[in-house]
Amino acid sequence: MEEILSQVKAYSEEITSFTASDADSLEQFRIRFLGVKGIVKAMMGEMKNVPVDQKKEFGQTMNGFKQLAEEKFATEKERIDLMGAGAAEQIDFTLPGTPLPTGSRHPVTLMRNRIVEIFQRLSFTVAEGPEIEDDWHNFTALNLDENHPARDMQDTFYLSTDPAILLRTHTSNVQIREMEKQQLPIRIICPGRVYRNETISARSHCFFHQVEGLYIDENVSFADLKQTLYFFVREMFGEDVKVRFRPSYFPFTEPSAEMDISCMLCKGDGCAVCKRTGWLEILGCGMVHPNVLKNCGIDPEKYTGFAFGMGVERPALLKYGITDIRLFSENDVRFLEQFSGI
Ligand code: PHE
């Protein structure tokens, strides 16, 4: 009995001096003293060893001991709970937040969208087609039959098991596919990725992006082509930019032209970007060749049309002052994130 009472005394002192540092240490306290296998239960279990005449006194001592432990637990719990709430209230709302990383559009996408959006204002609608194409839609239907020398300028990647399957060299394949549907008139803009078997350098890549356009209806003339492209240049590059057409050759258009704009960097005086000519080559264009219309089942006596095609990377390089086309496809976040505000 004496021994037990001195133990209880020692435990009571431990309880009295206890302060919980956090919810965990409070829980440890609860398990140690008030748990099913805890000290309070164990001490009370000693009742059976206490002589009958001392049972009453022992019982009272033990009730006091239990109460001490319970009260300590309750006050500490209240204090810890308050501390938690206090910690929440102590958040300093004036501190700058942790910035969330925001995504951004790729510069090529930004430029493509700008081009497309200008033509949409002239009622052109977007048409898309496959990047893996057959020989007919990429070459033959466009008046480039198998032995045409112009095919050399658009060498691409072929399937070794079936050379009639290739990666398209331009988005003109979409124009053929749309013409084959024979729902006239056609007024489409065709953005997309194209491929060429070219050595990769700062200025050229084996894949790049194009936007091509096609307008077919009765009485479409070269004047319509020029007017459409003048509008595009004004909207895209501004009022002050001059335009010139140079005669050119494409197998799928006749007559054909290349369109240059005056260099906006040197204002036509000549600089490194325009190779001292004062002009920048922007796109190829022309009146759709009658053979191409025939290949798609359209009557060239009744319908005429114009087509044009431009690269997306070149104007993006100019607009954003980028000097190496390879940056567009390296996926370096340090490069790409610079366009997030644009
Ligand atoms: N398809 C041509 C190219 O990729 C561009 C072009 C399109 C030229 C339409 C004239 C008319 O080079």
Side-chain angles (χ1 to χ4, degrees), residues 27-86:
E27 180 61 5
Q28 293 301 322
F29 174 88
R30 192 191 63 77
I31 293 166
R32 179 163 153 79
F33 288 99
L34 298 165
V36 196
K37 292 180 180 160
I39 289 165
V40 171
K41 271 248 164 69
M43 292 287 119
M44 284 184 145
E46 293 295 327
M47 180 70 100
K48 56 185 183 299
N49 303 323
V50 173
V52 183
D53 59 337
Q54 291 174 18
K55 274 195 198 294
K56 191 175 169 200
E57 189 199 334
F58 182 77
Q60 279 170 352
T61 310
M62 290 316 296
N63 279 340
F65 179 56
K66 187 180 175 203
Q67 211 177 342
L68 181 73
E70 282 174 349
E71 276 171 10
K72 185 69 173 187
F73 176 74
T75 49
E76 284 300 285
K77 182 164 172 18
E78 198 176 334
R79 195 176 59 78
I80 292 285
D81 286 352
L82 269 176
M83 220 167 76

Side-chain angles (χ1 to χ4, degrees), residues 142 153-154 169-173 175 194 196 208 210-214 249-253 256-258 283-288 306-311:
L142 285 152
M153 280 157 56
Q154 298 198 2
T169 57
H170 44 193
T171 59
S172 307
N173 67 325
Q175 312 188 4
V194 301
R196 302 224 180 147
F208 54 98
Q210 276 192 336
V211 177
E212 294 207 349
L214 175 71
Y249 172 77
F250 298 104
F252 31 86
T253 47
S256 304
E258 252 159 279
L283 55 78
C285 58
M287 300 306 292
V288 180
F306 67 72
F308 57 87
M310 69 188 99

Side-chain angles (χ1 to χ4, degrees), residues 302-316:
K302 188 168 176 209
Y303 290 100
T304 49
F306 67 72
F308 57 87
M310 69 188 99
V312 180
E313 274 80 353
R314 181 96 54 89

Side-chain angles (χ1 to χ4, degrees), residues 82-117:
L82 269 176
M83 220 167 76
E89 273 160 25
Q90 277 163 23
I91 291 172
D92 182 351
F93 292 106
T94 64
L95 284 175
T98 318
L100 285 176
T102 47
S104 58
R105 287 198 202 286
H106 193 282
V108 168
T109 307
L110 290 170
M111 183 50 71
R112 186 201 60 191
N113 289 353
R114 286 189 68 195
I115 298 169
V116 166
E117 188 253 329

Side-chain angles (χ1 to χ4, degrees), residues 102-342:
T102 47
S104 58
R105 287 198 202 286
H106 193 282
V108 168
T109 307
L110 290 170
M111 183 50 71
R112 186 201 60 191
N113 289 353
R114 286 189 68 195
I115 298 169
V116 166
E117 188 253 329
I118 293 170
F119 287 103
Q120 279 175 331
R121 277 190 263 149
L122 294 174
S123 301
F124 283 77
T125 54
V126 172
E128 287 176 316
E131 289 176 28
I132 303 169
E133 190 50 283
D134 54 43
D135 186 278
W136 169 258
H137 290 97
N138 193 80
F139 290 127
T140 309
L142 285 152
N143 216 17
L144 273 145
D145 59 32
E146 212 181 322
N147 299 311
H148 200 293
R151 278 200 184 201
D152 275 359
M153 280 157 56
Q154 298 198 2
D155 189 20
T156 181
F157 304 95
Y158 295 86
L159 274 193
S160 54
T161 48
D162 184 356
I165 308 289
L166 48 89
L167 293 179
R168 68 177 177 190
T169 57
H170 44 193
T171 59
S172 307
N173 67 325
V174 184
Q175 312 188 4
I176 297 296
R177 287 177 178 277
E178 290 297 313
M179 283 192 275
E180 282 174 344
K181 291 181 191 161
Q182 293 181 28
Q183 283 162 346
L184 295 149
I186 296 171
R187 200 188 283 144
I188 51 167
I189 192 93
C190 315
R193 183 183 286 188
V194 301
Y195 303 81
R196 302 224 180 147
N197 186 6
E198 272 174 30
T199 315
I200 300 170
S201 71
R203 295 188 59 81
S204 71
H205 211 298
C206 63
F207 73 84
F208 54 98
H209 297 76
Q210 276 192 336
V211 177
E212 294 207 349
L214 175 71
Y215 178 30
I216 297 186
D217 202 346
E218 293 177 39
N219 300 319
V220 176
S221 71
F222 203 90
D224 297 316
L225 167 61
K226 286 177 91 174
Q227 206 53 47
T228 304
L229 294 178
Y230 284 150
F231 176 80
F232 167 71
V233 169
R234 210 180 52 224
E235 295 296 302
M236 185 75 183
F237 302 105
E239 300 269 341
D240 304 334
V241 170
K242 290 203 251 339
V243 178
R244 78 174 182 190
F245 286 86
R246 279 179 293 112
S248 185
Y249 172 77
F250 298 104
F252 31 86
T253 47
E254 182 62 36
S256 304
E258 252 159 279
M259 191 183 82
D260 300 342
I261 57 167
S262 56
C263 179
M264 58 274 232
L265 298 173
C266 62
K267 305 256 179 294
D269 293 343
C271 66
V273 173
C274 62
K275 297 197 198 115
R276 320 252 158 240
T277 62
W279 294 96
L280 297 165
E281 194 184 307
I282 285 292
L283 55 78
C285 58
M287 300 306 292
V288 180
H289 197 291
N291 287 352
V292 175
L293 295 174
K294 269 190 247 163
N295 286 340
C296 301
I298 295 171
D299 180 2
E301 297 299 326
K302 188 168 176 209
Y303 290 100
T304 49
F306 67 72
F308 57 87
M310 69 188 99
V312 180
E313 274 80 353
R314 181 96 54 89
L317 291 173
L318 286 171
K319 166 130 181 84
Y320 302 121
I322 301 162
T323 49
D324 193 326
I325 200 170
R326 290 169 291 196
L327 285 165
F328 286 140
S329 50
E330 279 170 0
N331 268 349
D332 187 331
V333 175
R334 290 167 302 179
F335 169 73
L336 296 174
E337 70 186 0
Q338 296 176 51
F339 303 92
S340 60
I342 298 174

